[in-house]
Amino acid sequence: MQIGKPIIVLVDDSAAMRAFFEQVAAEAELAFHAYASAEESLSFLANRQPSLLFLNVMMPNKDGYSFLKELRRHELHATTPTVMISSKDYAQDRTAAKELGVLEFVAKPISKKAIRLLIEKYLGAGHHSQ
Amino acid sequence: MSDSYLRFWGVRGSYAAPHESHLGVGGNTSCVEIRSGDHLLVCDGGTGIISLGEQLMAQSELRELLVVFTHYHWDHICGLPFFQPAFSPAWKIKFFGPGDTAAEIEQRLSDQMKAPYFPVEIGTWMADIQYLDPQNRGLAHGPIDVSYYSVHHPGVTYGYHLQVAGKSVVYVSDNEVQFLKTSIAKRIHEFDADEHELLERMVSEQRCAEVSAIEGVDILIHDAQYTPHDYSRKRGWGHSCYVDTVNLAIDANVRCLYLYHHDPTYDDEQVAAIHRDCLQIICERKSTMECHIAREGMKIPL
């Protein structure tokens, strides 16, 4: 059971994308952690499960698919709710994400309003303020 | 002729185009040979690899090679079931491509050689086959250093950066340049004015990543599949408009660009027209970059 504020984790090498999320998180009743790479995010994800994970597909070193496959092999993240985000918008990528059990595949760009709606959709209303 | 060279065995994208009107450019799909002394590296196994295999079987100096795949779409692997060295016990062949493990690479390549799609499975390959474990970003094949990065195409697709004979060569067969920029332009109405600065940063980030991957290389072999007219109908198919390709190469100070992955519906004259327009763009931008059509059979000393 989740106690306290919901925890949102974003893994994306785009500083601009992280800034979009940070602006949403600043207005919301939630804990937010952003990381620029899969490797960096393990400082959190190695031991903790977020309420919702936003994961970018194309990143240097380790792409989002490989990373989510790794995470899924661990009991802690076997069912971690995950939204895949990407500058790519191809059917093959949507299929690959679906096979990894993601909630949704969202093509960039993603507005702050869209981020708020995604959080509300998967965590329920009341975790953000307009 | 230097003992290091690059040779195009297949230059078409999507599917083979063995029509008389296309053969000045070439009809086979993706395959490029990189030779440095007694080391041979092959990029992709489209139908072009079939003729390469025949030539390799006709010589006796070389019995080992590395084949790297950008991805596993048919036009990049469909020559492999007819690659004769794989069926010969005299050969040692290493394979590498997208995948988290060597077993995953093997599975991707073997899946096309199964009944009812093909009469024999990879178990009939008699060569010493090794699938390289993708633990590191860098590979080495004798004097050829190989590194790779993800490019913008359906599924996981790699571009390869090769360092050979003192030259840098980047092979990007399939890549849709500037995709995020055009996505933002199409959907700008969804964003508030205060978000526009962040969107500009996103476009800038994408451009920096595209440029830095090929910055200053001696030879760039890059997807230039569509005319602007066709790209307007085929945006989101994972390939570039040649205008975007040539502008990217100029921005990255590439020394020499080879237009690659030609659309199979374009005949020799249509590809020549694309080349003329690229030269015009290079002239207008006052660039000194060389630009050529990648033609089947073309051999470039390194």
Side-chain angles (χ1 to χ4, degrees):
Chain A
M1 174 179 276
Q2 197 78 51
I3 299 171
K5 293 178 182 177
I7 302 167
I8 303 286
V9 168
L10 168 68
V11 184
D12 196 323
D13 59 312
S14 163
M17 199 69 243
R18 296 197 301 274
F20 268 103
F21 275 81
E22 278 157 9
Q23 290 183 10
V24 172
E27 304 164 353
E29 290 294 316
L30 49 83
F32 177 67
H33 303 269
Y35 302 95
S37 69
E39 293 80 1
E40 274 187 31
S41 73
L42 286 174
S43 64
F44 181 94
L45 294 173
N47 300 302
R48 298 179 70 187
Q49 184 191 39
S51 313
L52 189 56
L53 170 65
F54 288 89
L55 182 56
N56 186 31
V57 173
M58 282 178 68
M59 294 187 286
N61 297 324
K62 188 167 289 182
D63 66 69
Y65 301 133
S66 295
F67 186 46
L68 188 54
K69 269 189 236 173
E70 276 182 24
L71 290 175
R72 289 290 191 233
R73 284 197 284 270
H74 294 279
E75 193 178 346
L76 180 64
H77 293 295
T79 58
T80 294
T82 303
V83 174
M84 211 66 137
I85 60 176
S86 182
S87 62
K88 299 205 287 182
D89 191 9
Y90 304 121
Q92 184 175 338
D93 287 275
R94 291 179 181 276
T95 301
K98 190 176 175 184
E99 286 172 353
L100 289 167
V102 306
L103 298 168
E104 200 165 329
F105 180 102
V106 182
K108 295 179 184 179
I110 310 169
S111 67
K112 289 192 282 186
K113 181 182 175 186
I115 294 167
R116 288 188 199 103
L117 289 172
L118 283 166
I119 293 170
E120 185 177 315
K121 181 176 178 181
Y122 294 113
L123 296 183
H127 294 303
H128 64 86
S129 57
Q130 293 288 342
Chain B
M1 174 73 72
S2 157
D3 69 347
S4 297
Y5 62 83
L6 179 160
R7 180 157 38 184
F8 293 105
W9 290 89
V11 297
R12 288 282 162 188
S14 305
Y15 54 88
H19 321 302
E20 192 176 359
S21 56
H22 291 47
L23 297 183
V25 170
N28 281 304
T29 65
S30 299
C31 183
V32 177
E33 172 192 7
I34 312 278
R35 183 79 177 259
S36 183
D38 55 359
H39 284 81
L40 169 60
L41 183 145
V42 178
C43 295
D44 279 329
T47 60
I49 204 172
I50 301 170
S51 302
L52 169 59
E54 288 166 1
Q55 195 213 52
L56 291 174
M57 294 300 284
Q59 55 82 55
S60 57
E61 301 137 34
L62 191 72
R63 284 285 179 266
E64 187 172 338
L65 73 154
L66 166 65
V67 186
V68 296
F69 296 91
T70 53
H71 62 311
Y72 304 107
H73 287 166
W74 275 343
D75 52 326
H76 295 259
I77 63 168
C78 66
L80 203 54
F82 306 96
F83 184 54
Q84 289 186 30
F87 295 89
S88 165
W91 282 82
K92 183 175 182 179
I93 305 174
K94 297 174 186 171
F95 290 122
F96 182 79
D100 293 325
T101 61
E104 195 175 317
I105 297 168
E106 178 176 358
Q107 187 189 343
R108 299 283 180 258
L109 293 176
S110 63
D111 277 353
Q112 69 166 337
M113 287 179 68
K114 283 184 177 162
Y117 308 106
F118 201 71
V120 296
E121 301 193 359
I122 63 163
T124 58
W125 280 350
M126 296 175 74
D128 176 1
I129 305 284
Q130 186 184 355
Y131 300 90
L132 300 183
D133 199 352
Q135 290 300 310
N136 303 307
R137 302 300 292 181
L139 306 165
H141 185 59
I144 309 172
D145 285 330
V146 185
S147 59
Y148 55 96
Y149 65 101
S150 290
V151 295
H152 210 283
H153 191 68
V156 178
T157 302
Y158 291 159
Y160 285 95
H161 189 290
L162 313 171
Q163 195 69 36
V164 52
K167 299 271 178 64
S168 49
V169 178
V170 172
Y171 175 75
V172 183
S173 61
D174 300 53
N175 186 30
E176 190 163 5
V177 170
Q178 298 274 57
F179 188 80
L180 180 59
K181 181 180 180 180
T182 53
S183 296
I184 289 171
K186 280 173 175 286
R187 295 173 47 201
I188 193 73
H189 60 278
E190 297 174 23
F191 292 81
D192 296 334
D194 69 333
E195 294 175 291
H196 288 190
E197 188 187 332
L198 282 179
L199 291 174
E200 285 172 21
R201 277 174 58 188
M202 287 181 76
V203 170
S204 173
E205 286 173 350
Q206 185 199 38
R207 193 58 168 174
C208 283
E210 288 175 342
V211 167
S212 67
I214 58 171
E215 183 98 55
V217 300
D218 294 304
I219 293 174
L220 173 65
I221 300 163
H222 198 286
D223 183 340
Q225 183 153 345
Y226 297 132
T227 61
H229 176 262
D230 283 350
Y231 184 69
S232 68
R233 295 182 296 122
K234 295 180 178 179
R235 182 184 176 275
W237 287 31
H239 300 291
S240 290
C241 169
Y242 70 81
V243 176
D244 293 329
T245 298
V246 73
N247 278 313
L248 172 64
I250 293 169
D251 289 348
N253 295 311
V254 166
R255 191 180 68 76
C256 184
L257 168 67
Y258 285 88
L259 306 170
Y260 191 68
H261 210 270
H262 309 298
D263 193 89
T265 68
Y266 297 170
D267 64 18
D268 291 341
E269 178 45 40
Q270 287 170 293
V271 177
I274 286 172
H275 183 228
R276 284 195 295 273
D277 200 31
C278 286
L279 294 178
Q280 182 66 30
I281 292 167
I282 292 165
C283 181
E284 286 168 3
R285 291 196 56 187
K286 300 184 180 5
S287 166
T288 57
M289 183 179 73
E290 287 181 40
C291 177
H292 305 282
I293 299 167
R295 294 179 192 276
E296 195 172 311
M298 180 185 266
K299 190 172 179 180
I300 303 152
L302 294 173

